[in-house]
Amino acid sequence: MDLIFIAPSTRRPSGGVAMVYEFASTMAARGHRVHLFHVAFYQADATSLADIDWYTFSPGVTHHFPPVGPIDVARIPDADVIFGYTSEDAMPPQAGLPVVLIQGYKMLGEELEHPAFLSPCPKICVASWLVDVGRELGVPERELVHIPLGLRHEKYRVTRPITARAPVVSFCHSAHVQKGSHIAIGVLQQVKRAVPELEVTAFGAVPAAGDLPDWFDYRTNPSQETLVEEIYNGSRVFLCASEVEGFGLTNIEAMACGAALVTTDNGGSRDYAVPGKTALVAPTGDVDELARHVVRLLRDDDERVRLAEAGRTFVKRFEWDLSAEMLEAFLERYQADPVGFGRPRGRSGRAS
C-alpha cells in the first residue's frame, strides 16, 4: 500500500509523536510505501532528520519537511490511506482514504479532540478505553477500531535480576498537569517518611522546573540505554500518578524491564494494569492509596517480585509486528468497503 502519515515534528522526545513514527516505520519495514510529513509543533519544529536524533526511523520511510505553516497540498502524493486527517477539505482526494489516530483524550482540549472523534472516517484507538470514549461521544461502532501500541522487546528487557534491586522508585516527570507529577512527588515524600532508605529516580524530556525535592535523582532526556539499563532495571517500583493516560507507554516499558507497577486508574492503564495481578492500582488523585501501595511493595519483596514477574509476562502481548498485522487487516477491509467504515458515498479518496 501507499501510506501517508502526518506527524508533529519536534526536536525533543515526545511519546505521542514517537508512536506515529513507530506506526510509520513498522509499516515501511513490512514493505509498504510510506511518506511521513513533518509539521511544526510548539516552536520546536524539525527541518531535517538531523533534528530528530532521538528516534531511529526505518530506512523505507520517505520524509517530507515542508516550510513552517500549513502543508502545501500540492506536495501530497497519491496514496491509498492518509493518517492524520482532521478536515474534509484539508487534503486532496488523491491522498487516499482518511484515518484518524486517537492516542488520548482530555489532554489537548475539546476543540481538537472532539473534531477528531467526530470526523467521518475510521478512528484507530490505541487503547480500549478510547473506544469507550468514542461510544460516549456518539461515534458509530463501525468507525471505532482498537489497535494497541507495541513494544520493542529486544530493547525493553530485564538486564538486572528482579530479586536483587535497591529500594528505588522511578517515575516519568512532565509539566502537563494531567500527567500528575505533582501527585507523584507528594506520594514519594509520604513514602520517604515510612521507608527512609527510599531512593527516587525521575526522568523527563526537559529539565525539571525546580519542583523536585533535592534528594530526587533527575535525568533530563536520558538515552534509551540509560533509561533501560539504569532507570527501569534499577527500579523496584515504577510509579504512574497520571490523571489521564492515552495508553501509558512508559508503564509497559518499565514492566518489561522488571519494575513492579503502581498506577492510577487513568484510562490507558486498564489494558495492562490488572489490580492485584499485574499491578497495584489506586483511584486518580489518591495520594494516600498510591503511597500505601508503594510502601507495600518496598516492604514485601515476595509480593513485589510476584507482581513484577506477572507484569513482565503480561506485556509481552504488546508487540509492534502484531499491531502492524492488525493495522494491515483493517486497511484491507477499509479499502474494500470505505462506506462500511463511515466514509460518505462519493468521498472515498483514491481507493474508490
Side-chain angles (χ1 to χ4, degrees):
M1 289 179 243
D2 292 288
L3 306 176
I4 295 173
F5 288 84
I6 298 175
S9 67
T10 171
R11 299 166 191 253
R12 298 193 298 264
S14 166
V17 176
M19 292 310 96
V20 179
Y21 293 170
E22 287 281 8
F23 273 113
S25 287
T26 301
M27 296 301 280
R30 293 175 70 87
H32 301 284
R33 293 170 294 277
V34 173
H35 292 265
L36 178 57
F37 280 78
H38 302 265
V39 297
F41 179 63
Y42 292 126
Q43 299 180 347
D45 50 297
T47 59
S48 71
L49 284 182
D51 296 330
I52 314 177
D53 56 3
W54 55 271
Y55 183 85
T56 302
F57 292 93
S58 166
V61 176
T62 299
H63 297 271
H64 303 263
F65 289 89
V68 174
I71 294 176
D72 180 0
V73 296
R75 299 178 62 189
I76 300 290
D78 289 358
D80 297 302
V81 178
I82 180 168
F83 296 80
Y85 164 91
T86 56
S87 167
E88 189 63 44
D89 299 323
M91 295 296 158
Q94 67 268 21
L97 293 165
V99 173
V100 172
L101 183 61
I102 302 290
Q103 296 198 64
Y105 186 60
K106 294 187 176 179
M107 294 292 291
L108 300 176
E110 291 184 1
E111 68 280 2
L112 292 177
E113 294 172 342
H114 283 194
F117 269 107
L118 299 176
S119 54
C121 69
K123 270 67 67 173
I124 292 178
C125 301
V126 302
S128 56
W129 82 283
L130 295 171
V131 174
D132 295 335
V133 169
R135 293 180 181 128
E136 292 170 4
L137 294 175
V139 178
E141 193 74 25
R142 64 183 182 176
E143 296 180 17
L144 296 168
V145 182
H146 177 213
I147 297 179
L149 299 179
L151 198 62
R152 303 292 180 188
H153 292 279
E154 71 278 10
K155 298 178 180 178
Y156 298 98
R157 67 206 188 283
V158 172
T159 62
R160 301 188 194 182
I162 293 175
T163 55
R165 296 188 179 186
V168 176
V169 176
S170 58
F171 75 98
C172 182
H173 182 276
S174 171
H176 197 301
V177 66
Q178 296 285 51
K179 292 293 186 178
S181 291
H182 60 295
I183 296 172
I185 293 167
V187 168
L188 294 169
Q189 288 175 320
Q190 188 167 318
V191 172
K192 183 73 168 177
R193 291 191 286 271
V195 184
E197 64 271 25
L198 169 70
E199 300 174 34
V200 172
T201 301
F203 63 95
V206 298
D211 59 340
L212 298 179
D214 57 12
W215 51 275
F216 279 33
D217 176 18
Y218 184 78
R219 311 289 185 91
T220 300
N221 192 18
S223 67
Q224 182 182 291
E225 181 180 3
T226 297
L227 185 62
V228 170
E229 300 284 349
E230 298 182 22
I231 299 177
Y232 290 151
N233 270 275
S235 299
R236 288 188 186 177
V237 176
F238 188 78
L239 173 64
C240 175
S242 297
E243 295 286 332
V244 175
E245 280 288 348
F247 181 75
L249 195 67
T250 55
N251 294 345
I252 67 168
E253 290 174 352
M255 294 168 78
C257 293
L261 178 66
V262 172
T263 182
T264 50
D265 180 14
N266 52 50
S269 62
R270 296 170 193 168
D271 283 356
Y272 47 82
V274 183
K277 294 183 178 180
T278 64
L280 296 184
V281 183
T284 56
D286 193 333
V287 172
D288 292 341
E289 184 70 5
L290 287 167
R292 281 193 291 270
H293 285 335
V294 174
V295 170
R296 175 183 172 186
L297 295 184
L298 291 176
R299 288 178 170 169
D300 188 340
D301 226 35
D302 289 342
E303 176 71 354
R304 173 185 67 83
V305 171
R306 181 188 69 80
L307 275 178
E309 291 284 10
R312 183 171 72 96
T313 298
F314 191 91
V315 300
K316 288 180 180 178
R317 68 188 60 194
F318 299 106
E319 169 60 55
W320 275 114
D321 281 340
L322 295 177
S323 297
E325 288 178 10
M326 295 173 66
L327 180 57
E328 286 173 337
F330 154 70
L331 292 177
E332 289 171 1
R333 297 193 305 271
Y334 185 25
Q335 285 187 282
D337 182 20
V339 174
F341 284 92
R343 289 299 295 152
R345 293 187 182 278
R347 294 163 70 182
S348 296
R350 188 177 95 165
S352 63

